[in-house]
Amino acid sequence: MQIAFYGKGGIGKSTVSANLSAALAESGKRILQVGCDPKSDSTRLLLGGRKIPTVLDYLRKTSPDKQSLEGLLFKGFKGAACVETGGPKPGVGCAGRGILSSFEALARLGIRDVPLDIVLYDVLGDVVCGGFAVPLRREYADAVFLVTSGEFMAIYAANNILRGIKNFEDSAPRVAGIILNSRGLEAEDQRILAFSKAVGLPVVASIPRSEIFSRAEKAGKTLIEAFPESENAEIFRELARHVEKIVKDRSLLYHARPLEDWELEELVLGRSPEDNASIFMQREFEKEAGCESGFEEEAGLEGRTIRTINEPEEYLCETCGACKGEAGDASGSGNLSCSDSPRVKPALGKEKVSVLAPSGSGPAILKAPLYGCAFAGAVTATFQVNGALTVLHGPRSCAHIISDALASSFLRSGSFKKTGVKGLEEQALPGLLSVDMEEEDIIFGGLEKLSCRMEEALASGRKLLFVVSTCPSGIIGDDIEKAVLKMKHLYPKARIFPIPVDGNLTGDFSYGFFEGCKKVAELIDPAVGQEEGLVNIIGERNFSPRDEENFRIIEKLLEGLGLRVNCRFLSRADLSSIRDFKKARFNLLAYNSLENRMLRDYLSEHFGLDFFEHPFPVGFRDSSQWVKALAKSLTLGHNPGPFLEAREQIYRAEISKYSPYLKGKKVLVVSYSQDIGWVLDTVRDLGMELVKVGIRASSFGKDKQLDPLPDDIPLVNNYTDLQRAEDIKCLKPDLVLSGYAPLIPEEDVHCDTIPFSPKVGFMSGLELAKRWSTLLRLPVVEGWKYDGGEEE
Amino acid sequence: MIFSPDAFTASILTVEGIKDASVLLNGPTGCKIYHSFLSDRHFPRGASHDPMAFQGEFYFGQLRVPSTYLDWEDYVEGSLEKLEKLLSTVAEKNNDLLAVINSPGASLIGDDLETALKKSGVSERCFTVDCAGFSLPAPIGFENTGLALLEHLDLKSLSRKENRVNIIGLSILHKHWEGTVAELKKLLSLLGLEVGAVLFADTSVEELKNSSSAACNIVLFPEYGQKIAEWYRERFEIPSVLSPMGVPVGFDATEQLLREVAKCLGIDPSPALNFVRAARKSSYSKLARYHSFSGLPKGTSFSIRAEASFAYPLALWLYSYLGMVPSAVKTLPGGSPKIEASLRAFLIEKGFENAYDREPEYEKVDIAFADGYTLGLLKGLGCCKAGLEICTPSEGYIDFIPKTYMGVEGTLLLLEKIINGIRSSL
Ligand code: SF4
């Protein structure tokens, strides 16, 4: 069972939850306490006063491949496991987002596989945004306790929390009751009683004000540990027994029935609706700020109490490392309260008890920047499914950016003729529908609007929807999976797939593309049997004008081997071809990129598929190898010999047309990537002399697994502009090939570019040969290039 | 049939439309890469595409719009550290006016950008746009950012230059903005006027600082410039001219705008009007010859998808000057309500009420006027025989001759394209 503790900031949730955890652990339950407060001191009392590294710190300092649950889980009193999510410093960032990210990481690292009886979430303050509401979601909290005192603002917060719960409540009740953490105020019990009656909840525990809390906290312990015989310890044991009853009997849970503000004021403050609300609120605020007697005492004692728990010099401010911060739940009066101190960390060497360091801790690792966003990647994948509609859950900016990126290739493909556009006025590119989240949706959550959009699409006859989330929707914590689930109930025949990549919060373009592909793969019918002579193509690119031409070339090559393409995963694929994906016996990788390899592994693992690893071949040599290897892999009994001979004849004949112009000419090649074997082959086939190949220092093409260039290639790595200039002077090449052509070439040498996106197949090099043969007869510098300088 | 840009994109391009100003995007590369490309495409500044030329930490191989490349951690922890680093990197490179614009995500975390500016010592020459708006129309982003920029520049009241005017409400997002500026300068010079600043297309910070000396502001796209013109009126009592017909598309609207400007400044419009008249005459003979054997363009149908202040004068002119049939006229979000109402009233009055607010892909027409992608789609679907790209996004055609659809030059270009479009589709 999972239990969340909510209540106004400083009300003592950490102390209550820690004591309850201790009581449950004492009774033999396997406990996990999750602190969801940026102060990250919720679990301190279970850990003998120690502070532990937070999930967010851990994620920041540990590279993804080294992350594990062990680095985050810490053993406390009676084996209770402890985790702190952490969060930003006060006033910056989004603490709510921090909670979201931590929970995602815990799930990713397998927290759900740890055998636990009860998980307790200690949540910071009120439900102030989607992030803070995460522990309220059904997958996290089965039961919610409201911790409150009898002060108006505390009850007000409790009522607000009930509103939050109501928003998340589908059908089953989830409120476990009210825990009164008494401040010892006048008529406090009556107020709470009136409130509990009005909202229909029991007061499951009433914790009187006592100085032993303070003494226990000073020792860094719970009452259960420090004063096991005390009356208050017994209250927590009783509460623990109540929790165990709830575990067995969910009928002890209640629906959230929050009051209207005026009802609450009337009830708790005993004022009529006509009264001036602001005066009352003002008074309450003043009281809580310590301006009235009841709180003055506490405020004055706050510093002292902190010192009693952890001497201030033990805690240094994270920002400057010098100024002292505050720590921990503390109360000068011995009551339960919590200071809203900035996040603090133990000073090195001052620890009385060593804190387990997370694996891989040390200097922060400089993260590689993310290229693009997972949102764009996921949409690029789902957009390739003909007839599907991708709902973009975010503001129009995101929809505009991705639709602009997809439009050109989409229009080139002409696939809209198949999908049709009638009746979908709100759609921009056919196949995309933007939720157009506005300010209001950002503040109050955008799920309602998302549902409306989905419903419109489904009502107009759409049967296949993908829903992809953007950064803003991720930051505010919109749970698109929940919205999709609801829609599925309304339209049981429709297939709707949420892809909660949350813009770039989960990763970059490649990651999103992979996530999108995974969702599309759920459309594959695993029961479909194989048919002879069919192959799938996996991982074509969808942005280059060459993509379609290259596919046609490959299709022709396959035809030569007696093969047909079953499904292009994912490029303008019909639903039927995806469904029948398993008809193909073999799957051909279009490109050997990281995301394609990930996709290959995923599809192999989930559908038991065989892959042909050799990517689309570029150039004669590569194409010959590709055809031979493919023929061999498929054991077709098909001899590719004649097919290859015919190709070779054409290639040689064509090359011989151009070699008279190029034979013996010296070539210098400068490239960002080593993926230029086909260019070098062409140079050699033409009888040209390769004087040097300089590879520049860059990350281009580094994700590809490339065969090393032959040993006899005069290769220089980390090649610089200076080296290039010197080589042009000394080696006197006739032609310099590089990624980008200089406007005014040095030393009167002919320059040309290496195609970024080459044509695939046997004849790739011929285009180059033809071009170079004429290029060398053209002026080295065309006239226009002299016109770009400053005026004399 | 493409999601039109919203306030966020317009906000970035407002600043990028200034010669010596740069946007620093506080946001992820997912937002950056597109806007860097877009800025460079609409207002090219470098000759090469070599990504190695812009390898600095925040540039990602692109010349424009460096960014803080935010990721989840920055959303949680705040982005200020990276932003301060970016600010000092960019500040060292040039003396541009700088604008930090938050991405939609960054605008949610509420980081205190002003403090970052102060810490980096660039407050003097940097302003911030905390939130350009969520799904707001492009004109709002343009106007709000423009106003923030003007406030930041703290313009001083200058002595009035009687022959100087500003053009307000032209974004580098607008199709053929360069040609439009050239055409307006030419026409206004016939009235003896010089253009001081163009807000905000290829203008300089210096021109903007001097813009308070103008005798009059000419509002081109009202939805992009009306509020800014109002700001000048309140601050510096500079009057503004606003064509009730929207932008000067067609001879009539061009004449009307010139008359309004002349009236505002108390000058004689005849030299400019004579120039328009001459153009009317020369096009008459060509239209007459074409019309005499074909009866066209009268009766040919058209559809439009554009900003209201463009769509209205265009539809009006196509109908009244060429006798063409409106089949579908769809305006982009954020149009001037007044012009929107005029467009509607005009179509109803002429008996074409069904054409109002109709998406072009629901009608088969002879000629369509829209952005490049919509035209591609309309052509692919067989919804138009010919098409004219009057707004962005562009299909990618590279113009060498500066073009415009406004003023005399623009009207002649429209005529040429329409007649030849119809001719080739017969
Ligand atoms: S999802 Fe995030 S990174 Fe991607 S376009 Fe939208 S705001 Fe930018």
Side-chain angles (χ1 to χ4, degrees):
Chain A
M1 175 166 225
Q2 310 198 80
I3 302 169
F5 288 82
Y6 274 84
K8 183 185 157 293
I11 205 67
K13 293 179 297 296
S14 298
T15 311
V16 170
S17 54
N19 273 287
L20 179 58
S21 286
L24 286 162
E26 193 189 45
S27 72
K29 292 279 171 282
R30 290 169 300 184
I31 297 300
L32 167 66
Q33 171 141 342
V34 184
C36 307
D37 188 324
K39 281 202 279 91
S40 57
D41 57 5
S42 158
T43 54
R44 204 169 37 87
L45 297 182
L46 292 167
L47 291 157
R50 283 179 297 148
K51 287 194 72 169
I52 54 175
T54 68
V55 178
L56 293 174
D57 282 344
Y58 181 73
L59 295 180
R60 203 169 40 243
K61 290 179 183 157
T62 316
S63 63
D65 55 329
K66 295 212 175 83
Q67 289 169 7
S68 70
L69 207 54
E70 287 71 52
L72 292 168
L73 282 187
F74 295 79
K75 246 187 201 164
F77 177 65
K78 299 273 180 202
C82 302
V83 170
E84 292 285 351
T85 62
K89 298 174 196 106
V92 292
C94 175
R97 181 63 230 169
I99 296 175
L100 275 162
S101 296
S102 302
F103 276 44
E104 282 160 9
L106 287 170
R108 179 165 51 81
L109 297 174
I111 191 84
R112 293 200 173 114
D113 301 329
V114 177
L116 293 165
D117 298 313
I118 295 173
V119 181
L120 295 94
Y121 297 100
D122 172 14
V123 192
L124 165 74
D126 206 331
V127 189
V128 290
C129 72
F132 285 80
V134 178
L136 277 185
R137 293 185 189 161
R138 172 108 3 236
E139 71 266 39
Y140 291 113
D142 308 296
V144 182
F145 281 105
L146 304 176
V147 184
T148 182
S149 70
E151 292 158 287
F152 177 76
M153 290 311 288
I155 300 176
Y156 184 81
N159 192 51
N160 257 351
I161 292 154
L162 285 175
R163 285 193 185 135
I165 298 169
K166 198 176 171 199
N167 284 342
F168 282 97
E169 220 172 44
D170 300 326
S171 50
R174 283 204 291 163
V175 190
I178 295 169
I179 297 172
L180 167 62
N181 181 28
S182 176
R183 292 259 188 230
L185 304 171
E186 209 186 304
E188 194 174 19
D189 289 3
Q190 287 95 306
R191 277 190 188 183
I192 290 297
L193 230 81
F195 174 65
S196 76
K197 224 170 137 188
V199 293
L201 293 173
V203 179
V204 291
S206 182
I207 304 158
R209 182 185 167 89
S210 164
E211 53 80 41
I212 63 163
F213 282 105
S214 173
R215 283 167 45 207
E217 286 186 9
K218 200 155 88 180
K221 289 176 180 169
T222 57
L223 291 189
I224 301 289
E225 191 179 4
F227 302 104
E229 307 304 329
S230 65
E231 264 179 40
N232 281 352
E234 202 43 49
I235 294 175
F236 286 110
R237 287 194 190 97
E238 187 54 45
L239 188 57
R241 284 191 282 277
H242 183 67
V243 167
E244 286 181 46
K245 271 191 211 152
I246 294 174
V247 172
K248 287 182 199 131
D249 181 4
R250 302 283 168 114
S251 72
L252 293 171
L253 295 171
Y254 299 81
H255 281 290
R257 294 205 175 87
L259 303 178
E260 293 296 332
D261 283 354
W262 65 266
E263 287 179 300
L264 188 69
E265 284 175 31
E266 202 174 0
L267 180 84
V268 183
L269 300 173
R271 57 177 284 256
S272 66
E274 298 85 53
D275 288 337
N276 185 334
S278 61
I279 295 170
F280 279 89
M281 297 295 277
Q282 178 69 25
R283 242 187 246 157
E284 285 298 316
F285 274 117
E286 279 168 4
K287 240 196 304 185
E288 302 234 0
C291 306
E292 257 183 31
S293 54
F295 223 90
E296 259 167 1
E297 180 196 352
E298 257 183 41
L301 288 169
E302 193 177 341
R304 207 178 71 204
T305 315
I306 290 163
R307 271 196 298 280
T308 62
I309 299 170
N310 287 295
E311 290 304 311
E313 50 272 33
E314 286 186 295
Y315 291 90
L316 300 183
C317 167
E318 200 166 71
T319 330
C320 62
C323 66
K324 284 155 188 146
E326 304 162 328
D329 274 14
S331 147
S333 61
N335 205 341
L336 307 177
S337 80
C338 157
S339 68
D340 286 325
S341 63
R343 198 177 53 180
V344 288
K345 69 175 182 183
L348 288 174
K350 299 269 181 179
E351 290 294 314
K352 289 188 184 105
V353 188
S354 67
V355 170
L356 170 63
S359 62
S361 69
I365 292 160
L366 190 69
K367 289 174 300 161
L370 301 173
Y371 281 83
C373 59
F375 160 76
V379 177
T380 302
T382 58
F383 182 68
Q384 298 302 328
V385 182
N386 288 336
L389 181 70
T390 303
V391 182
L392 315 174
H393 186 50
R396 175 161 282 238
S397 328
C398 307
H400 168 66
I401 291 170
I402 185 60
S403 71
D404 201 277
L406 294 171
S408 312
S409 62
F410 171 75
L411 291 171
R412 260 197 320 270
S413 78
S415 56
F416 53 91
K417 288 170 197 158
K418 281 190 211 166
T419 55
V421 293
K422 300 282 183 223
L424 291 160
E425 303 202 359
E426 290 303 315
Q427 275 182 242
L429 271 184
L432 297 184
L433 179 68
S434 173
V435 171
D436 280 356
M437 283 173 82
E438 293 170 12
E439 184 98 28
E440 195 188 33
D441 310 309
I442 299 287
I443 296 169
F444 299 109
L447 294 183
E448 211 170 299
K449 199 166 190 182
L450 169 64
S451 301
C452 288
R453 284 302 168 102
M454 283 195 282
E455 200 160 1
E456 279 160 25
L458 293 165
S460 76
R462 287 282 184 180
K463 299 229 158 30
L464 176 58
L465 260 57
F466 296 95
V467 182
V468 188
S469 58
T470 57
C471 300
S473 69
I475 291 169
I476 65 167
D478 267 0
D479 185 353
I480 62 168
E481 284 170 312
K482 185 178 155 191
V484 164
L485 208 67
K486 266 190 183 169
M487 208 46 61
K488 277 181 174 168
H489 284 133
L490 287 174
Y491 291 86
K493 284 198 181 133
R495 301 205 70 181
I496 317 173
F497 297 91
I499 312 180
V501 285
D502 296 346
N504 79 335
L505 298 179
T506 53
D508 62 2
F509 182 93
S510 304
Y511 170 78
F513 185 76
F514 179 54
E515 287 300 301
C517 287
K518 272 160 59 180
K519 282 290 174 208
V520 176
E522 288 182 27
L523 294 165
I524 297 172
D525 182 349
V528 167
Q530 267 179 17
E531 282 180 20
E532 272 313 308
L534 292 178
V535 294
N536 294 324
I537 305 240
I538 313 292
E540 287 174 79
R541 296 188 189 118
N542 291 302
F543 287 113
S544 157
R546 272 256 153 95
D547 296 332
E548 205 53 33
E549 184 192 352
N550 280 347
F551 170 73
R552 299 287 160 222
I553 293 169
I554 294 295
E555 202 179 28
K556 270 248 151 17
L557 290 185
L558 292 169
E559 252 174 56
L561 295 170
L563 298 168
R564 269 187 308 118
V565 175
N566 174 52
C567 176
R568 294 170 74 183
F569 195 94
L570 268 168
S571 192
R572 291 135 211 156
D574 287 326
L575 183 56
S576 56
S577 78
I578 298 171
R579 210 181 290 128
D580 294 345
F581 188 84
K582 289 196 75 181
K583 271 187 184 171
R585 207 181 127 209
F586 250 113
N587 298 282
L588 314 184
L589 271 196
Y591 300 97
N592 194 349
S593 60
L594 179 66
E595 60 263 34
N596 275 1
R597 292 196 297 274
M598 279 159 66
L599 190 56
R600 171 201 62 194
D601 294 345
Y602 178 83
L603 291 170
S604 309
E605 193 185 318
H606 285 77
F607 299 98
L609 304 176
D610 289 327
F611 271 84
F612 180 64
E613 299 283 338
H614 197 143
F616 281 2
V618 181
F620 187 84
R621 186 168 53 98
D622 197 20
S623 299
S624 304
Q625 286 170 357
W626 188 82
V627 168
K628 280 183 205 158
L630 187 58
K632 201 171 154 201
S633 303
L634 289 170
T635 52
L636 295 168
H638 186 109
N639 175 14
F643 180 77
L644 289 174
E645 275 158 30
R647 292 286 167 300
E648 180 152 11
Q649 267 181 21
I650 300 169
Y651 180 71
R652 296 283 165 222
E654 288 293 311
I655 281 284
S656 66
K657 278 190 203 167
Y658 309 117
S659 52
Y661 299 100
L662 298 166
K663 197 167 181 181
K665 300 285 183 200
K666 294 200 267 183
V667 185
L668 169 67
V669 179
V670 182
S671 173
Y672 292 125
S673 145
Q674 286 212 19
D675 199 6
I676 48 166
W678 66 286
V679 179
L680 305 184
D681 284 347
T682 310
V683 166
R684 290 169 159 209
D685 290 346
L686 286 162
M688 299 171 88
E689 186 191 341
L690 196 58
V691 292
K692 196 172 273 183
V693 177
I695 304 293
R696 306 191 64 150
S698 98
S699 57
F700 290 125
K702 288 280 182 283
D703 68 327
K704 292 178 186 166
Q705 287 174 345
L706 298 173
D707 292 334
L709 292 172
D711 287 342
D712 57 338
I713 297 279
L715 185 76
V716 178
N717 282 312
N718 298 327
Y719 196 67
T720 62
D721 281 343
L722 204 70
Q723 284 171 300
R724 174 195 153 113
E726 270 170 20
D727 283 341
I728 289 175
K729 232 184 215 162
C730 302
L731 302 172
K732 299 202 179 314
D734 299 288
L735 178 65
V736 177
L737 301 172
S738 54
Y740 291 83
L743 284 175
I744 302 285
E746 309 96 313
E747 305 286 323
D748 269 2
V749 64
H750 287 280
C751 291
D752 202 18
T753 53
I754 299 168
F756 181 69
S757 164
K759 182 163 134 176
V760 300
F762 286 90
M763 308 304 162
S764 317
L766 293 180
E767 274 189 357
L768 299 187
K770 186 178 176 189
R771 183 172 161 80
W772 298 340
S773 71
T774 53
L775 199 79
L776 293 186
R777 285 176 271 167
L778 300 176
V780 171
V781 184
E782 311 89 285
W784 66 266
K785 289 183 176 168
Y786 294 113
D787 294 340
E790 294 297 314
E791 273 178 38
E792 308 243 318
Chain B
M1 281 293 281
I2 185 88
F3 294 110
S4 50
D6 76 347
F8 175 50
T9 296
S11 172
I12 292 174
L13 292 208
T14 304
V15 179
E16 286 289 298
I18 298 166
K19 271 189 257 198
D20 45 359
S22 299
V23 167
L24 282 65
L25 179 69
N26 188 33
T29 55
C31 295
K32 181 241 183 283
I33 292 167
Y34 170 72
H35 288 106
S36 302
F37 156 81
L38 200 67
S39 168
D40 192 53
R41 185 177 196 180
H42 285 245
F43 190 4
R45 314 204 190 192
S48 172
H49 278 292
D50 185 351
M52 296 307 271
F54 318 109
Q55 280 303 297
E57 181 185 355
F58 306 100
Y59 287 85
F60 297 87
Q62 294 173 301
L63 173 64
R64 306 298 308 177
V65 195
S67 88
T68 45
Y69 59 91
L70 303 184
D71 57 23
W72 71 267
E73 198 181 325
D74 302 308
Y75 288 127
V76 177
E77 295 287 336
S79 62
L80 295 183
E81 217 172 291
K82 266 189 185 170
L83 180 61
E84 281 162 31
K85 213 169 149 205
L86 168 61
L87 279 165
S88 46
T89 305
V90 176
E92 274 170 25
K93 274 191 195 265
N94 55 44
N95 291 318
D96 279 5
L97 169 74
L98 307 175
V100 176
I101 299 182
N102 266 339
S103 72
S107 59
L108 293 177
I109 61 176
D111 273 350
D112 182 5
L113 302 182
E114 294 295 338
T115 305
L117 303 195
K118 274 188 204 131
K119 270 195 183 170
S120 313
V122 293
S123 300
E124 291 281 294
R125 62 171 176 123
C126 188
F127 73 103
T128 60
V129 178
D130 280 331
C131 182
F134 296 99
S135 305
L136 292 177
I140 293 182
F142 178 90
E143 277 201 323
N144 289 347
T145 303
L147 288 170
L149 190 153
L150 291 173
E151 290 286 357
H152 170 80
L153 290 180
D154 192 21
L155 304 191
K156 301 281 174 292
S157 196
L158 298 172
S159 59
R160 194 66 39 98
K161 291 238 171 174
E162 289 311 323
N163 68 337
R164 182 178 289 173
V165 295
N166 297 319
I167 296 170
I168 300 186
L170 181 67
S171 165
I172 57 170
L173 260 179
H174 286 120
K175 179 84 184 163
H176 293 329
W177 62 268
E178 278 170 297
T180 299
V181 172
E183 173 67 1
L184 290 174
K185 282 185 174 173
K186 189 173 83 188
L187 290 176
L188 293 167
S189 74
L190 295 173
L191 295 176
L193 300 173
E194 67 169 38
V195 174
V198 182
L199 287 79
F200 296 96
D202 193 18
T203 204
S204 67
V205 171
E206 195 54 33
E207 284 167 344
L208 289 171
K209 283 186 174 164
N210 292 329
S211 62
S212 55
S213 66
C216 154
N217 284 327
I218 300 172
V219 179
L220 204 59
F221 283 85
E223 52 271 72
Y224 282 78
Q226 215 164 338
K227 259 200 214 161
I228 297 173
E230 190 58 24
W231 184 88
Y232 274 101
R233 200 187 56 73
E234 279 171 12
R235 290 279 166 109
F236 306 109
E237 294 177 357
I238 301 177
S240 58
V241 168
L242 185 94
S243 167
M245 288 168 77
V247 296
V249 170
F251 293 129
D252 293 347
T254 303
E255 285 168 347
Q256 193 179 6
L257 182 68
L258 291 169
R259 270 196 212 98
E260 297 276 343
V261 173
K263 194 169 127 198
C264 174
L265 295 172
I267 53 176
D268 176 17
S270 355
L273 294 179
N274 289 343
F275 181 73
V276 181
R277 206 158 302 128
R280 279 183 183 266
K281 267 209 137 143
S282 82
S283 47
Y284 166 79
S285 61
K286 292 192 172 79
L287 278 168
R289 286 166 71 88
Y290 179 66
H291 179 73
S292 63
F293 67 82
S294 66
L296 300 172
K298 190 169 195 167
T300 48
S301 56
F302 68 88
S303 60
I304 300 176
R305 186 171 192 263
E307 258 139 354
S309 56
F310 197 133
Y312 174 49
L314 179 62
L316 197 63
W317 180 71
L318 293 173
Y319 170 83
S320 58
Y321 191 73
L322 297 178
M324 291 172 68
V325 182
S327 296
V329 183
K330 179 80 187 172
T331 57
L332 298 178
S336 147
K338 240 183 174 173
I339 292 183
E340 192 78 49
S342 302
L343 170 66
R344 187 163 177 266
F346 155 70
L347 290 171
I348 292 172
E349 186 199 327
K350 303 299 175 197
F352 294 105
E353 57 271 25
N354 291 341
Y356 178 71
D357 202 28
R358 185 136 181 92
E359 290 281 2
E361 60 273 18
Y362 296 130
E363 295 294 333
K364 277 196 162 61
V365 296
D366 294 303
I367 188 156
F369 300 82
D371 63 87
Y373 293 150
T374 300
L375 285 182
L377 196 67
L378 294 177
K379 283 180 189 166
L381 292 168
C383 289
C384 68
K385 291 178 188 160
L388 210 66
E389 191 179 298
I390 55 165
C391 44
T392 59
S394 162
E395 162 278 334
Y397 187 88
I398 300 168
D399 293 288
F400 277 74
I401 300 171
K403 298 182 184 80
T404 179
Y405 295 121
M406 292 180 212
V408 170
E409 194 96 3
T411 310
L412 294 179
L413 180 66
L414 282 171
L415 283 172
E416 185 177 306
K417 296 268 180 192
I418 291 165
I419 299 301
N420 288 295
I422 296 169
R423 208 176 55 81
S424 62
S425 64
L426 285 178

